[in-house]
Amino acid sequence: MSQASAPAVPTVLPGSRDYYGDLMRASQATRAGFLAERERWLRGVPVEGREELLFEFEMWLRAVERYLNLHNSVVDARARPLVTRDFHEELVDVRDAMERAVRVARHLQDPDSDPKMVFRKYVETQLADDRVRRLLIEEELDQETPPESLFVVREAFDALKNLLDNLLQLPLIGLSLFQDVGKLTLREIVLNRYFRPFRPLEFRVEYDRLRSVRLLDVLGTLPADTRPLFTTAFLGLFRVLHYLTHVDPESQPPVPRRVRVLLSLVRGEVSAVASYLHTELSPKAGTRPLQAATLRAARDLARETDRIAREVLVDLDRDPAAPLRAAEAFTTLLRQQIVALLDALAPNGALGEEAFAHLTSAQDAALRLRKDLWVYAQLCRTAESHLRSDDVVSAERVLEALKSFLDYFHDGGYQLLRYADYDAFDRFTSLLVELPWPPEGPGIRSRLAEDLRRFSQTLETTFHAVSRRSLLQGRGFDRPDAEALRDRFLSPGGR
């Protein structure tokens, strides 16, 4: 059912919004068009784990960019002046990170379009007509689609890897040569249209989601002026923890050279979060206890990051186990600060690794999502039944309940969905948002009933998929609890 097919009416049903999605898009509003097109492309990529692949690819772009800037480097300038240092080891690190980025990009590349772009590249090298060759080059560099943009950065990294292979044959790689490599690499990264790395505290809807039931519930209770501030802080902390999952704690030293590049990114991002907590969040946190808690978190993050750099990162060239020790120290630090900040918002006295494990319980998330999906389907089925029986008053009452439930759902269960599910849910929400209110006329009500029936099937399919997850085996569905939630929205006054 589309808005165009309905008669014009003076009022429109107020729509529920994905608060977290809106916040993320606001963090990069100047690139909204490119990012929306990239979202559409990603949903069509026929690759398992596509969101995680995209996250890893952009992580390596960002990490290489950071590592080639000596302000963020893990190089110990005190051990030897930079102007006399040989940067062979650092370029080996960078090459390994580029190699991994290219490998991930190949997995993301559309299997149909990739051979065409490779062939076009080959034709470009064979052409004698400079006019035609220039036209092909310009078309490639225009990066009109995400696949073309991905191909451009992949080709650039392949060329840079070849350049590094030859540079690494030199007896000495000095500071100026290292910095020139950095300039060339930075140019390729920042000029990419669809995969330009995010700045600190910029987020992507494709993979930056808070999947903790308790954290989502607590953030949903915060005042409108402080909720975005605390949400940004938690998104930033969980983003860095996500980086660290790409360091295998079970691996035996020596770990891949690219881990050194990743640790440079981690160090820089933790410092950015600490600065945000100190300068932006703390002054606006609200109560004095919350201001004190955010200042304490900022101080602990900055102090411990400095200690890890001073005591662990300086040993990267000498101790094969140093990268793993650094990753473990950063992981512990970030988990502690997440738990401490949440405890400041909603004290429950639980701290430490056990508290973090409970906070991020995948089973709790699945239980919450399963219950929310059942209630959502029940409300849709009930509204459909009333519409088909032409009980307009009862249908409007249930649709009002459904509208209230959507606000609740977007703050909780929606965030726990898998990325592949978002499209169907977003389309139904948009349909309901655009619905003329109240839905007048038998034609409009009939089409709405059919839309509700179809989406109910989607909800029930998703409900059964969640119920089959291995972590829910042996956990029966608590129907009375789900019915109580449903009835809470159906009762007068809604939520």
Side-chain angles (χ1 to χ4, degrees), residues 273-275 277-278 293-303 337:
V273 174
S275 176
L277 290 172
H278 184 271
T294 53
L295 281 174
R296 186 162 52 251
R299 180 201 63 201
D300 290 348
L301 285 168
R303 184 175 60 191
Q337 298 313 312

Side-chain angles (χ1 to χ4, degrees), residues 209-473:
R209 292 284 176 176
L210 298 174
R211 301 189 183 278
S212 163
V213 172
R214 179 165 180 259
L215 179 55
L216 290 168
D217 285 344
V218 169
L219 288 173
T221 65
L222 296 181
D225 57 338
T226 58
R227 186 183 181 191
L229 299 170
F230 278 100
T231 301
T232 298
F234 283 110
L235 283 168
L237 291 166
F238 274 102
R239 160 75 68 77
V240 187
L241 275 179
H242 196 171
Y243 291 152
L244 288 163
T245 63
H246 288 270
V247 182
D248 182 4
E250 303 300 323
S251 61
Q252 296 298 315
V255 298
R257 298 297 297 258
R258 60 182 175 270
V259 170
R260 294 153 57 105
V261 181
L262 178 55
L263 288 173
S264 177
L265 174 62
V266 168
R267 179 186 179 185
E269 295 287 298
V270 172
S271 296
V273 174
S275 176
Y276 170 81
L277 290 172
H278 184 271
T279 61
E280 296 188 47
L281 176 53
S282 179
K284 305 173 185 175
T287 66
R288 286 187 179 275
L290 281 179
Q291 290 178 339
T294 53
L295 281 174
R296 186 162 52 251
R299 180 201 63 201
D300 290 348
L301 285 168
R303 184 175 60 191
E304 187 64 9
T305 297
D306 183 64
R307 186 196 67 78
I308 295 170
R310 188 177 62 254
E311 298 180 7
V312 185
L313 294 181
V314 293
D315 290 333
L316 290 180
D317 290 334
R318 299 182 290 272
D319 181 2
L324 292 177
R325 290 195 290 115
E328 182 181 5
F330 276 121
T331 299
T332 300
L333 169 65
L334 291 162
R335 289 177 176 179
Q336 288 173 343
Q337 298 313 312
I338 287 170
V339 171
L341 269 180
L342 182 59
D343 194 61
L345 289 170
N348 72 350
L351 298 172
E353 284 293 312
E354 186 176 339
F356 182 82
H358 179 69
L359 175 66
T360 55
S361 167
Q363 186 179 79
D364 287 351
L367 288 169
R368 167 67 175 270
L369 177 58
R370 182 170 66 170
K371 179 173 72 172
D372 286 359
L373 290 169
W374 186 87
V375 173
Y376 202 165
Q378 286 283 303
L379 292 173
C380 287
R381 287 290 189 191
T382 303
E384 177 205 351
S385 174
H386 287 313
L387 285 169
R388 293 196 186 282
S389 64
D390 212 26
D391 185 350
V392 177
V393 174
S394 295
E396 288 186 3
R397 178 176 60 83
V398 179
L399 286 170
E400 285 284 3
L402 185 58
K403 177 186 68 176
S404 297
F405 177 79
L406 279 176
D407 291 325
Y408 166 86
F409 181 73
H410 274 112
D411 282 351
Y414 179 86
Q415 308 305 318
L416 308 174
L417 288 167
R418 292 174 176 170
Y419 180 76
D421 297 322
Y422 286 149
D423 190 36
F425 282 76
D426 291 345
R427 280 189 278 109
F428 181 76
T429 300
S430 296
L431 179 149
L432 212 56
V433 166
E434 296 171 1
L435 176 71
W437 195 254
E440 297 180 352
I444 293 177
R445 291 196 290 272
S446 176
R447 288 193 294 272
L448 177 57
E450 181 61 18
D451 291 327
L452 286 164
R453 183 190 68 82
R454 290 176 179 174
F455 189 60
S456 296
Q457 293 176 334
T458 298
L459 288 165
E460 289 159 2
T461 300
T462 311
F463 170 84
H464 290 301
V466 173
S467 298
R468 287 193 297 269
R469 292 181 187 176
S470 59
L471 51 83
L472 289 187
Q473 297 307 304

Side-chain angles (χ1 to χ4, degrees), residues 9 30 42 55 67 73 89-90 99 111 168 188 217 250 256 259 325 368 374 386 388 416 442 460 467 474 480 490:
V9 291
T30 58
L42 183 64
F55 174 83
Y67 193 70
S73 177
E89 295 298 308
E90 285 70 34
E99 175 74 36
L168 289 169
E188 294 297 337
D217 285 344
E250 303 300 323
V259 170
R325 290 195 290 115
R368 167 67 175 270
W374 186 87
H386 287 313
R388 293 196 186 282
L416 308 174
E460 289 159 2
S467 298
L490 287 173

